[in-house]
């Protein structure tokens, strides 16, 4: 297409010697079209992320009675998870940490994160439920599923979302009884504006507003965990 536009511009340039002012105007328009095409090609080649973000922002899903729109696309999630894995690997070089993935919501995040960690490590899955529907109940339940000894070990908690922080605080207190060397928190999402307790969260992918979200392991009444992007409720 660019070669064709160049040819048109050249022909009009020849015509303009006898065609007067009108031909010059047309030549200018074609040259502008050619420049616009080059600019568009450059943007498409060098800024695919921006175009993808625009496309994703147009995407919505319906889950039961609620509508959700893309707020964090899959490519951005992968980018941040990889950066987090690299940071953990650098910080824990020379150690063999145990990752504790909090079910159910963290399973996708935990799987992706572990594949980016380069130091020797292990993973186990525990459960502490605190969500029903679209809001936190504030209740915490007993820790289930910790079968590996963690005494003297570095433990990295893998959580999908930290909302009020009450569940995480309770989990930290429970883990103290097993005498780990230290316990570090990694979270896909944190809502700073909704925290009710002080937490040290050295590994966080995204800080988000106090909105209800779904996708990438997070659910709305059991549905939506399989969505590749993270979506925010619209209504």
């Amino acid at each position: 297409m660019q070669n064709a536009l160049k040819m048109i511009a050249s022909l009009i340039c020849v015509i303009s010697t006898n065609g007067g002012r009108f031909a010059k105007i047309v030549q200018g328009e074609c040259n502008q079209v050619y420049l616009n095409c080059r600019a568009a090609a450059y943007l498409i080649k060098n800024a695919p992320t921006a175009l993808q973000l625009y496309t994703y922002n147009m995407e919505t899903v319906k889950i039961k009675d609620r509508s959700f729109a893309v707020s964090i696309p899959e490519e951005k999630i992968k980018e941040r998870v990889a950066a987090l894995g690299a940071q953990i690997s650098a910080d824990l070089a020379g150690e063999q940490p145990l990752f504790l993935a909090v079910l159910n919501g963290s399973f996708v995040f935990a799987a992706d994160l572990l594949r980016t960690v380069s130091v020797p490590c292990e993973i186990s899955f525990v459960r502490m439920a605190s969500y029903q529907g679209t809001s936190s109940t504030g209740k915490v339940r007993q820790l289930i599923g910790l079968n590996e000894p963690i005494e003297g070990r570095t433990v990295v908690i893998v959580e999908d979302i930290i909302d009020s922080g009450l569940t995480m605080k309770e989990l930290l207190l429970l883990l103290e009884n097993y005498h780990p060397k230290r316990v570090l928190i990694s979270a896909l999402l944190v809502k700073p504006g909704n925290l009710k307790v002080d937490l040290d969260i050295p590994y966080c992918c995204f800080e988000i507003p106090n909105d209800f979200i779904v996708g990438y392991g997070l659910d709305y009444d059991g549905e939506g965990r399989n969505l590749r992007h993270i979506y925010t409720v619209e209504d």
Side-chain angles (χ1 to χ4, degrees):
M1 182 176 182
Q2 293 180 1
N3 291 335
L5 288 171
K6 284 182 177 179
M7 185 178 298
I8 292 172
S10 298
L11 289 172
I12 294 177
C13 184
V14 172
I15 296 171
S16 67
T17 57
N18 298 309
R21 184 170 176 272
F22 175 75
K24 291 181 180 180
I25 293 173
V26 174
Q27 177 190 4
E29 292 294 327
C30 287
N31 284 338
Q32 185 61 49
V33 170
Y34 169 67
L35 291 174
N36 288 341
C37 287
R38 287 180 59 87
Y42 178 84
L43 287 174
I44 292 172
K45 179 180 179 181
N46 294 280
T49 301
L51 294 173
Q52 289 167 355
L53 282 171
Y54 175 78
T55 302
Y56 292 144
N57 284 337
M58 302 295 289
E59 182 180 337
T60 60
V61 295
K62 185 83 171 181
I63 302 177
K64 295 187 176 180
D65 58 334
R66 311 298 292 271
S67 295
F68 297 82
V70 172
S71 53
I72 309 177
E74 180 184 24
E75 285 74 13
K76 188 64 177 177
I77 298 171
K78 289 181 177 180
E79 178 185 321
R80 284 294 301 136
V81 171
L84 207 66
Q87 183 183 352
I88 291 173
S89 300
D91 292 347
L92 304 185
E95 299 189 50
Q96 187 171 338
L98 172 65
F99 288 82
L100 286 184
V102 182
L103 295 174
N104 289 329
S106 72
F107 75 101
V108 177
F109 173 46
D112 286 348
L113 177 63
L114 207 67
R115 286 194 291 264
T116 68
V117 174
S118 59
V119 297
C121 61
E122 301 172 56
I123 187 168
S124 185
F125 296 87
V126 296
R127 183 188 297 273
M128 288 188 72
S130 66
Y131 274 86
Q132 294 177 0
T134 59
S135 61
S136 174
T137 66
K139 300 176 182 178
V140 291
R141 300 177 182 177
Q142 183 179 2
L143 179 64
I144 301 172
L146 180 59
N147 300 316
E148 292 76 6
I150 65 173
E151 184 173 356
R153 298 192 63 179
T154 294
V155 174
V156 181
I157 299 173
V158 183
E159 181 64 285
D160 57 345
I161 182 168
I162 297 177
D163 194 328
S164 67
L166 296 175
T167 300
M168 180 58 66
K169 193 70 172 181
E170 183 69 16
L171 177 55
L172 292 172
L173 292 174
L174 289 172
L175 290 175
E176 284 182 4
N177 298 325
Y178 297 90
H179 309 293
K181 176 183 177 181
R182 56 176 169 167
V183 179
L184 304 171
I185 301 173
S186 65
L188 174 66
L189 304 164
V190 177
K191 295 181 178 180
N194 206 38
L195 285 173
K196 294 179 172 59
V197 293
D198 291 329
L199 290 173
D200 179 20
I201 309 172
Y203 308 117
C204 170
C205 284
F206 303 99
E207 292 186 347
I208 63 171
N210 189 26
D211 298 322
F212 185 72
I213 58 173
V214 71
Y216 195 71
L218 293 97
D219 75 303
Y220 171 41
D221 284 346
E223 296 185 17
R225 296 191 191 276
N226 59 316
L227 297 171
R228 296 179 294 113
H229 315 300
I230 291 175
Y231 294 75
T232 299
V233 69
E234 285 191 314
D235 49 16

